[in-house]
Amino acid sequence: MRYAQLVIGPAGSGKSTYCSSLNQHCETIRRTMHIVNLDPAAEVFNYPVAMDIRELVSVDVVMEELKCGPNAALIRCMEYLEDSLYNWLDEELENFTDDDYLVFDCPGQIEIFTHVPVLKNFVEHLKKNDFNVCAVYLLDSQFVSDVTKFISGCMVSLSAMIQLELPHVNILSKMDLLQDKSNIEEYLDAEPRTMLAGLDQRMAPQFAKLNKAFIELVEQYCMVRFTPLDLRKERSIQYVLSEIDKCIQFGEDAEVKIRELDEDMDQLEL
């Protein structure tokens, strides 16, 4: 079995910074992890790239050939990746062995993981290649300054969860940049009635039924739970990583193998 994180979230939510910090943390604790770039428009990396979609296709080339804008070009790049699952991707995955751990740094266009089926098909292909996959959704902690922004972030996360059908970990990123942390607790494990009251207070009366429908939807799918991440603190990074590891059952196979080895040794001693 192999393991993978699919790092998603809106543009500017800190996905690449998260990948870089995760790589540094794993180097510190002497744990092997491979970072994969799935953004065909990326230019600069602060982490070693184990696999790069730009070797297959890039936004600049597509823009020039198809005479389209950057957003349309990115969608076309991801569709080309989907068409290349059984050749380019399979060849790249042959470089990784059992128990390898991959982190896929994805583009920030939300339609990639909420509407078009590209990443869903990508994930299904990973599963066929014996990967346990977890979606890691990053939301900028600045969203907790306003209940309307927070609900919109929850809606995007919920759309991604339904679209990808994966174990899902929500992270409040950039906690080190959040100046006012006084109300952070009420968003980490938000009470639906409190959020509804906040929405009704901010929105016009004619939106009351819509506000209630939003809150009921979020409550029904239990999506209003975020884990804060402060990249300045190693303990915070380790806690988030341990939560993700639980979702993909990382390390459990190793524990089983150790127990089986111990049992075999006991039998030999007898």
Side-chain angles (χ1 to χ4, degrees), residues 119-162:
L119 278 188
K120 178 178 175 60
N121 293 332
F122 178 82
V123 165
E124 291 301 320
H125 192 75
L126 289 179
K127 291 179 179 178
K128 291 178 182 178
N129 282 273
D130 297 325
F131 275 91
N132 279 352
V133 189
C134 174
V136 181
Y137 174 78
L138 270 65
L139 181 68
D140 193 327
S141 59
Q142 301 298 324
F143 274 61
V144 302
S145 62
D146 188 304
V147 65
T148 56
K149 293 180 181 179
F150 182 72
I151 290 298
S152 70
C154 287
M155 290 293 103
V156 175
S157 175
L158 178 56
S159 296
M161 184 191 76
I162 295 174

Side-chain angles (χ1 to χ4, degrees), residues 59-77:
V59 163
D60 290 339
V61 173
V62 173
M63 287 176 61
E64 182 178 351
E65 292 185 356
L66 300 184
K67 308 301 180 185
C68 60
N71 288 334
L74 190 139
I75 295 293
R76 186 64 192 93
C77 287

